[in-house]
Amino acid sequence: MSSSPSSTSSVPLNTGVQMPVLGLGTYKLRGPEDVHRAVDAALAAGYRAFDSAAVYKNEADLGRALRELLPKYGLTRQDVFITSKLGPKDQGDKAMEGALHSLSQLDMDYIDLYLIHWPGTQGQLVTDTCNPGNRAQSWAALEELHDKGQLKAIGVSNYTPAHMSELMQTCRIPPAVLQVEFHPRLCQTELRSVCDKYAVCFQAYSSLGKGELVTEPSVTEVAKNCARTPAQVLLRWAVQQHVPVLPKSSNPDRITENAELFDFTLSDADMDRLSALDCGHKYCWDPSEVA
């Protein structure tokens, strides 16, 4: 029997707050009924973290679902960890407005973790020399809202080592989290080293490689040998390296299944076999060319 992720595993952020290792990703989860169904299944399975973003267009539905469902499970707002992200269209001088809009959409007094979603700016070339200034302006806005207690922790997503170094040289408040694509085909060794250096929590998204890795022979063989699903093996591979994960699904059974990560361990040989798949392959956005 698996234990509740909320009581089993969390990681400390550099703010002193604990962030659950397991969260529900909500990318492509749209509409009040689907969001409500997914949140209900997640809370029942022990999830206590939920990851949204302005560009997902589901912040309002997520906030509403949580207000309706938390009492059902004897929980309050303080029992869950909510992440959202600044849209690339608001990068720069619109960052304050964008972050406040996320708070308004969620209808919450505070957001536990708020990230700059992308190092570039919507409508500008990735090589545009305005990008560094826009990133700095966005970060200053997030720092101000953090000071006011409206954003309990702030961080970034899809930043490269160069973007991280730039931020660490100019920030007043260091990022608490870097959220990036991470799976056996993209082990992100350099980025993880940068995060270790700066005491930034490294968090994974797209742990299943947009679903393609669940049919990878090495993954399916490991899964068969330990009587687990390929998805559970891929998520466990990250969690066993102390990397928080955000599996996304709208299927209640899959949501429950994805939470069953804490009652088994992969052998060193299995971990090495999966890590040997690393080839630097990205299934999602590639931020490496953003100036």
Side-chain angles (χ1 to χ4, degrees), residues 86-131:
L86 181 74
K89 73 179 181 63
D90 294 322
Q91 186 85 286
D93 60 8
K94 295 179 182 176
M96 178 69 74
E97 179 184 345
L100 290 173
H101 186 65
S102 287
L103 278 160
S104 175
Q105 288 291 100
L106 286 161
D107 195 13
M108 293 177 178
D109 295 330
Y110 67 92
I111 297 173
D112 297 277
L113 174 64
Y114 200 71
L115 309 176
I116 295 177
H117 203 158
W118 176 248
T121 308
Q122 185 172 309
Q124 294 183 1
L125 295 173
V126 294
T127 54
D128 197 305
T129 55
C130 290
N131 282 323

Side-chain angles (χ1 to χ4, degrees), residues 2 22 24 29 34 36-47 208 228-229 231-232 235 247-261:
S2 67
L22 175 68
L24 180 71
L29 198 58
D34 284 352
H36 189 281
R37 186 184 309 110
V39 170
D40 196 6
L43 289 170
Y47 290 74
L208 312 187
R228 294 286 172 160
T229 69
Q232 288 169 336
L235 293 166
K248 59 184 178 64
S249 180
S250 59
N251 182 306
D253 292 336
R254 193 70 52 78
I255 288 169
T256 301
E257 189 178 86
N258 287 343
E260 295 169 351
L261 309 175

Side-chain angles (χ1 to χ4, degrees), residues 184-203:
R185 284 187 181 155
L186 186 64
C187 289
Q188 300 278 25
T189 305
E190 184 181 2
L191 263 180
R192 293 189 67 194
S193 178
V194 169
C195 286
D196 287 342
K197 176 182 178 181
Y198 295 123
V200 176
C201 175
F202 179 94
Q203 184 181 41

Side-chain angles (χ1 to χ4, degrees), residues 52-59 84-87 89-90 98 101-102 114 117:
S52 184
V55 297
Y56 299 172
K57 300 188 185 302
N58 61 16
E59 290 170 313
S84 198
K85 310 179 197 76
L86 181 74
K89 73 179 181 63
D90 294 322
H101 186 65
S102 287
Y114 200 71
H117 203 158

Side-chain angles (χ1 to χ4, degrees), residues 106-236:
L106 286 161
D107 195 13
M108 293 177 178
D109 295 330
Y110 67 92
I111 297 173
D112 297 277
L113 174 64
Y114 200 71
L115 309 176
I116 295 177
H117 203 158
W118 176 248
T121 308
Q122 185 172 309
Q124 294 183 1
L125 295 173
V126 294
T127 54
D128 197 305
T129 55
C130 290
N131 282 323
N134 286 346
R135 285 193 292 272
Q137 198 168 5
S138 293
W139 191 254
L142 268 56
E143 288 178 323
E144 184 176 337
L145 291 171
H146 175 71
D147 288 339
K148 293 178 178 178
Q150 291 172 283
L151 306 178
K152 298 296 185 182
I154 53 178
V156 292
S157 183
N158 298 299
Y159 272 36
T160 65
H163 297 142
M164 290 296 291
S165 297
E166 169 196 90
L167 176 58
M168 295 307 300
Q169 290 167 13
T170 59
C171 66
R172 178 170 57 83
I173 298 169
V177 172
L178 169 64
Q179 186 189 114
V180 293
E181 182 180 352
F182 177 72
H183 45 68
R185 284 187 181 155
L186 186 64
C187 289
Q188 300 278 25
T189 305
E190 184 181 2
L191 263 180
R192 293 189 67 194
S193 178
V194 169
C195 286
D196 287 342
K197 176 182 178 181
Y198 295 123
V200 176
C201 175
F202 179 94
Q203 184 181 41
Y205 74 74
S206 198
S207 296
L208 312 187
K210 286 193 168 180
E212 292 193 26
L213 287 174
V214 299
T215 57
E216 162 65 40
S218 294
V219 176
T220 59
E221 287 172 23
V222 170
K224 182 179 180 180
N225 290 341
C226 60
R228 294 286 172 160
T229 69
Q232 288 169 336
V233 163
L234 289 162
L235 293 166
R236 180 68 202 182

